[in-house]
Amino acid sequence: MAEQNNNKNNQQQVDVKQLLKVRREKLADLQEREKDPFRITKYDVTYHSMEIKNNFEEMEGREVSVAGRIMLKRVMGKASFCNVQDLEGNIQAYVARDNVGEEDYKDFKKFDIGDIIGITGEVFKTKTGEISIHATKVTLLTKSLQILPEKHHGLTNTDMRYRQRYLDLIMNQDAKDTFVKRSKIISEIRKYLDAQGFMEVETPMLVQNAGGAAARPFETHFNALDEDVKLRISLELYLKRLIVGGLEKVYEIGRVFRNEGLDTRHNPEFTLMELYQAYTDYNGMMDLTENLYRHLAEQVCGSAKITYNGIEMDLSKPFERMTMVDAVKKYANIDWKEVKDLEQARALAKEHHIVFEERHKKGDILNLFFEEYVEEHLIQPTFIMDHPIEISPLTKKKPDNPEYVERFEFFMNGWEMANAYSELNDPIDQRERFLAQEELLAAGDNEANTTDEDFLYALEIGMPPTGGIGFGIDRMVMLLTDSQAIRDVLLFPTMRSTT
């Protein structure tokens, strides 16, 4: 049996090599006859496929020019059909010898699946009701020298889909729709924030101090200055500098880099949006988040009610707001207000089989309980507020309870979707928080922040009361496109090298 399979595979390889050889011979023949498609520099497209189909009553009888890739071809003597796929979808073309000319029709019959062509002709409907183009001119624009995956089975190998995204976009309409929708989501974010008076800015990717988040950075060497630098893990500290400078509403959408593992919701480089607004706090950021998410659902998905993995989430209602302490009490049945010290927190953790490290303080252990008992239940839009100070080094303390800070995380589908603060603008307090982070770094926490002296100097110049928030764009796109893994919404996700 194994021998039969090997013989079959060898025969398939021989067949493929022969088919590829034939394609190159066809190109050589075209070049010899001075019909080299690669010498064509432009083609005037007047309409796309779905534009024609969706407006057939207006388009019937009109001359159009479309361009795209041949995905299906049926040659029937003096007349043939082909299916052309463009950005929006696909459309059928009827190509007859008497309309395009004998020589051009002879060339058309030799075109292959995957070739890119331009078709000019009149819009009509076939006897079977298929909206089509009656071709008067067919132009080969690009000769495909490779063979597309077999259309009936599609491109189902996920590794190939991610490594060769161009094939995925050709063969899987759902993949193309996802990335078109991703672009629309980002466009709608910009429209919404611009209308709110925010200013889009750009900040450095190569930095001396990669702060603003708990993550391990990538490091590299800058040869021109003979200095080691890091890729940014966050946008926060530079955007806050701009608030100090008097830009009252700023945002940035950009790539950040975290030297961490790969899974269905994490990629080492991903798209983050952070925004900062002077003279507001984390309550203002909650209102902005709720309004923005509702706007995106309505504009991109057509409804404030969205479905992910078969579960409906309703963004039309006011989002639930709950403190972390109340959430742990609700789902773990533990009243953290009764936990007096670190010793008691550790005892509770051991009792509930919560694994902690020696460096963890009382607030860290509260967060471990939250992650273990609460997150999975936060399916509907929910703000979890008032985190322990130990896990929030850049956040203002709550005036009435300095063990906690004015911070929230926004959850949907059990995922953290956004993280926001009433930003710490006290430079003395901020220095103390940085020193505490340095101690954690020395104790082995390689995700801890280091002191950023220039940022502290900026705070000493003076930063107004400010609300700030970070949104994971990729996770947002996953939710709004019903995509199961982050790689499905990244055009070119990080992959292990094949060499």
Side-chain angles (χ1 to χ4, degrees):
M1 185 68 178
E3 185 177 347
Q4 288 179 345
N5 287 335
N6 287 334
N7 290 336
K8 184 179 180 180
N9 290 335
N10 290 336
Q11 183 59 47
Q12 288 175 342
Q13 291 175 4
V14 170
D15 292 343
V16 168
K17 287 182 180 179
Q18 181 60 32
L19 291 171
L20 294 176
K21 180 173 179 288
V22 169
R23 290 193 178 214
R24 291 180 182 271
E25 289 172 349
K26 289 179 180 179
L27 174 62
D29 176 65
L30 289 167
Q31 291 169 333
E32 286 178 11
R33 293 188 289 122
E34 297 187 351
K35 291 186 175 184
D36 186 350
F38 297 119
R39 297 186 66 179
I40 297 174
T41 57
K42 62 174 293 189
Y43 184 82
D44 292 326
V45 176
T46 59
Y47 295 93
H48 282 87
S49 57
M50 297 311 294
E51 189 178 5
I52 295 169
K53 288 184 173 183
N54 292 337
N55 300 281
F56 175 71
E57 291 183 2
E58 299 174 23
M59 301 296 300
E60 186 175 16
R62 184 179 299 183
E63 183 177 86
V64 298
S65 292
V66 301
R69 192 178 300 274
I70 300 175
M71 300 302 291
L72 184 69
K73 184 162 165 272
R74 301 193 307 275
V75 176
M76 302 178 296
K78 298 179 182 179
S80 302
F81 288 94
C82 69
N83 190 287
V84 177
Q85 179 174 290
D86 62 14
L87 172 67
E88 295 182 356
N90 61 77
I91 193 165
Q92 179 175 268
Y94 173 71
V95 183
R97 186 189 65 182
D98 293 345
N99 296 104
V100 300
E102 187 168 346
E103 184 176 350
D104 285 352
Y105 185 67
K106 184 178 179 181
D107 287 338
F108 170 78
K109 290 198 293 183
K110 294 180 181 179
F111 292 172
D112 291 303
I113 303 299
D115 288 351
I116 298 173
I117 63 173
I119 294 179
T120 298
E122 290 187 358
V123 177
F124 79 111
K125 188 176 287 187
T126 66
K127 294 178 180 178
T128 59
E130 179 80 15
I131 296 172
S132 307
I133 299 171
H134 194 144
T136 55
K137 178 70 176 175
V138 180
T139 305
L140 180 62
L141 303 174
T142 301
K143 181 66 188 170
S144 176
L145 299 178
Q146 287 289 342
I147 300 168
L148 293 179
E150 205 273 303
K151 179 66 176 174
H152 178 70
H153 296 101
L155 183 65
T156 56
N157 182 302
T158 53
D159 189 73
M160 183 181 293
R161 286 182 57 213
Y162 299 144
R163 291 185 188 278
Q164 299 178 313
R165 183 66 82 181
Y166 43 89
L167 285 178
D168 187 31
L169 295 172
I170 292 169
M171 303 306 298
N172 296 321
Q173 185 62 40
D174 288 346
K176 184 184 289 186
D177 291 343
T178 292
F179 290 106
V180 169
K181 190 175 281 189
R182 178 189 173 107
S183 178
K184 185 175 181 181
I185 289 167
I186 294 173
S187 176
E188 287 296 333
I189 290 171
R190 286 192 166 103
K191 286 180 187 176
Y192 182 86
L193 293 178
D194 293 348
Q196 298 296 316
F198 281 85
M199 173 180 171
E200 185 173 9
V201 297
E202 294 175 305
T203 61
M205 290 189 183
L206 290 173
V207 295
Q208 296 290 338
N209 189 322
R216 186 177 182 179
F218 287 94
E219 300 182 11
T220 187
H221 187 75
F222 187 5
N223 292 331
L225 298 180
D226 193 23
E227 290 183 352
D228 291 332
V229 292
K230 300 176 178 67
L231 291 172
R232 66 185 181 187
I233 61 173
S234 170
L235 313 173
E236 180 167 346
L237 299 185
Y238 279 97
L239 291 176
K240 285 182 177 177
R241 286 169 167 90
L242 299 180
I243 295 291
V244 170
L247 303 181
E248 295 183 359
K249 291 183 175 183
V250 294
Y251 75 96
E252 180 174 6
I253 300 173
R255 285 281 174 140
V256 296
F257 309 86
R258 298 183 182 179
N259 200 346
E260 58 189 19
L262 297 162
D263 62 32
T264 56
R265 284 185 282 159
H266 295 88
N267 194 72
E269 58 173 311
F270 61 97
T271 303
L272 182 66
M273 180 181 75
E274 292 195 28
L275 63 87
Y276 293 85
Q277 179 178 345
Y279 311 113
T280 190
D281 63 1
Y282 75 147
N283 292 298
M285 292 296 101
M286 274 188 262
D287 293 340
L288 184 148
T289 301
E290 185 167 336
N291 293 333
L292 174 60
Y293 259 85
R294 189 172 293 128
H295 170 82
L296 291 174
E298 291 171 347
Q299 295 300 313
V300 177
C301 303
S303 170
K305 293 181 179 180
I306 66 170
T307 300
Y308 183 84
N309 204 22
I311 299 171
E312 183 179 88
M313 284 161 269
D314 190 352
L315 286 81
S316 65
K317 301 175 182 177
F319 296 1
E320 185 174 4
R321 302 185 182 195
M322 189 184 336
T323 68
M324 183 178 282
V325 169
D326 287 343
V328 168
K329 184 176 180 180
K330 178 177 180 179
Y331 292 105
N333 199 28
I334 293 173
D335 189 350
W336 207 258
K337 293 175 183 177
E338 301 298 321
V339 179
K340 302 303 181 186
D341 52 30
L342 176 58
E343 184 179 351
Q344 190 178 353
R346 286 176 170 176
L348 275 171
K350 290 176 181 177
E351 180 184 337
H352 290 81
H353 308 290
I354 301 291
V355 178
F356 60 89
E357 299 177 25
E358 188 64 29
R359 63 183 174 83
H360 284 149
K361 296 185 172 65
K362 177 184 169 185
D364 296 297
I365 295 175
L366 169 61
N367 188 54
L368 292 174
F369 270 95
F370 172 78
E371 291 174 348
E372 179 68 25
Y373 284 97
V374 181
E375 285 190 1
E376 63 180 332
H377 298 287
L378 304 179
I379 304 302
Q380 298 302 318
T382 306
F383 294 112
I384 296 295
M385 307 154 51
D386 302 348
H387 293 51
I389 192 170
E390 291 91 339
I391 62 170
S392 310
L394 297 167
T395 315
K396 273 194 174 184
K397 297 173 185 175
K398 289 185 70 64
D400 58 344
N401 190 352
E403 289 187 15
Y404 297 90
V405 295
E406 292 191 349
R407 172 185 175 186
F408 75 78
E409 291 175 292
F410 173 53
F411 283 85
M412 286 181 67
N413 193 50
W415 302 347
E416 178 204 336
M417 305 300 296
N419 186 23
Y421 310 152
S422 293
E423 301 296 336
L424 180 59
N425 62 342
D426 178 346
I428 298 171
D429 189 357
Q430 182 63 79
R431 182 175 291 277
E432 292 174 356
R433 309 268 194 104
F434 274 143
L435 289 174
Q437 288 286 301
E438 294 274 10
E439 291 175 3
L440 291 174
L441 189 66
D445 182 358
N446 53 25
E447 292 187 349
N449 284 203
T450 55
T451 303
D452 188 327
E453 291 292 348
D454 181 74
F455 176 66
L456 288 171
Y457 181 76
L459 289 187
E460 289 178 353
I461 294 293
M463 186 175 83
T466 297
I469 189 167
F471 294 91
I473 296 296
D474 307 305
R475 203 169 289 181
M476 175 191 288
V477 174
M478 285 176 65
L479 202 64
L480 295 175
T481 61
D482 199 8
S483 299
Q484 301 306 302
I486 193 170
R487 291 181 176 187
D488 294 327
V489 300
L490 297 174
L491 279 167
F492 301 102
T494 301
M495 304 286 289
R496 185 184 295 276
S497 173
T498 57
T499 57

